[in-house]
Amino acid sequence: MSESNTPEQNSQPASATPPKQESLLANLLINIAIPALILAKLSGDDWLGTKWAIVVALAFPLLYGLRDFLQNGKANFFSGLGVVSILLTGGISLMELDAKYIAMKEAAIPALLGIATVVSLRTRWPLVKTFLYNDKVLDTDKIAAKLEDNNNLGAFELTLKQASWMVAASFFLSSVLNYVLAKVILTSPPGSEAFNAELGKMTALSYPVIVVPSMIVLILAMVFLFRRIGKLTGLKLEDIMAAHHR
């Protein structure tokens, strides 16, 4: 991003901001609100029925994820993971398996992301660079040059490790909250109208109960990383941000 020419930089903020806002609203509606309403209100025999309600409800986030893939023209690991999660939820529900498997699935996916974040520290591509330290948000070239000038590359690697553990903690927190939420809410027999209503309730509560606490931890990790970069480089926040974020 930092290598784009000036006209592109000048036009990017105006064109990039609206899609981000629209995407946030679309995510909330398509991934949470609409599926929750369908499961809660249309699962009766007078409407879609229990199985078709699950199919229709999960079709919204599934098709939204596929649309995102087609628009971007490339696979996104996290979007792909979301699609897999949706398919697993649908499969478990339609096969009327015990609700404990949904709880296990809900816990397993963020837990695997947390483990992957920690394990990636031993590779050349730590995931913290995908989440927080990347050239879409930060001017990584300028930061790297300043770190080298100040002989702080080693200290920065330690900072990345600490931030990685904070990012992993957000995933582990999400894993625990996912499991508890599923175990507490999913109490009715699978395949019943009551079970679908509970699945809709779990979907609706996932944002305030799971996403918000996890995002708070992630934001704290971001603040920690940005402050440490400022101390190690001597640069102000506006100086380390990528050009299109200034």
Side-chain angles (χ1 to χ4, degrees):
M1 289 291 183
S2 59
E3 295 177 357
S4 302
N5 57 33
T6 303
E8 291 176 341
Q9 290 174 350
N10 290 339
S11 62
Q12 195 170 7
S15 59
T17 302
K20 287 182 181 179
Q21 294 174 345
E22 184 181 359
S23 176
L24 175 61
L25 178 60
N27 269 290
L28 291 174
L29 288 175
I30 296 175
N31 293 320
I32 297 177
I34 294 175
L37 286 172
I38 291 173
L39 289 168
K41 303 298 183 182
L42 303 181
S43 294
D45 292 334
D46 294 338
W47 295 96
L48 295 173
T50 55
K51 291 192 175 181
W52 274 110
I54 290 172
V55 172
V56 173
L58 297 183
F60 279 88
L62 179 61
L63 293 175
Y64 185 74
L66 292 175
R67 173 180 170 273
D68 180 63
F69 166 74
L70 293 174
Q71 281 188 338
N72 293 328
K74 60 181 180 179
N76 182 294
F77 173 76
F78 299 100
S79 296
L81 198 62
V83 169
V84 170
S85 177
I86 292 164
L87 292 175
L88 286 174
T89 299
I92 293 170
S93 302
L94 292 173
M95 293 171 66
E96 299 183 8
L97 299 179
D98 194 292
K100 69 180 182 182
Y101 293 109
I102 290 183
M104 292 167 61
K105 185 274 297 182
E106 291 291 312
I109 290 180
L112 288 173
L113 285 171
I115 293 170
T117 300
V118 174
V119 171
S120 71
L121 288 172
R122 298 183 176 274
T123 71
R124 294 172 56 191
W125 303 278
L127 284 175
V128 70
K129 292 188 176 180
T130 299
F131 299 129
L132 302 179
Y133 185 72
N134 59 74
D135 57 9
K136 293 180 180 179
V137 178
L138 299 171
D139 191 336
T140 53
D141 291 336
K142 180 188 289 186
I143 292 169
K146 275 292 184 179
L147 288 170
E148 188 171 3
D149 290 343
N150 297 345
N151 198 27
N152 278 331
L153 288 173
F156 180 66
E157 289 301 317
L158 177 60
T159 295
L160 281 181
K161 289 181 180 180
Q162 294 169 331
S164 292
W165 278 102
M166 295 178 73
V167 171
S170 73
F171 287 126
F172 292 139
L173 174 62
S174 177
S175 176
V176 173
L177 294 175
N178 271 341
Y179 184 81
V180 171
L181 188 66
K183 291 293 287 184
V184 169
I185 292 180
L186 301 179
T187 58
S188 299
S192 65
E193 184 178 347
F195 178 82
N196 277 21
E198 291 166 359
L199 195 60
K201 183 178 180 181
M202 186 185 76
T203 302
L205 288 175
S206 66
Y207 191 84
V209 174
I210 296 167
V211 175
V212 172
S214 300
M215 282 302 299
I216 290 173
V217 177
L218 197 60
I219 289 170
L220 290 175
M222 183 180 297
V223 171
F224 166 77
L225 179 63
F226 287 6
R227 285 185 175 179
R228 286 293 297 160
I229 290 174
K231 289 182 179 179
L232 295 173
T233 61
L235 296 171
K236 295 181 180 179
L237 179 62
E238 58 267 26
D239 295 326
I240 65 174
M241 302 301 291
H244 55 277
H245 281 285
R246 293 173 190 167

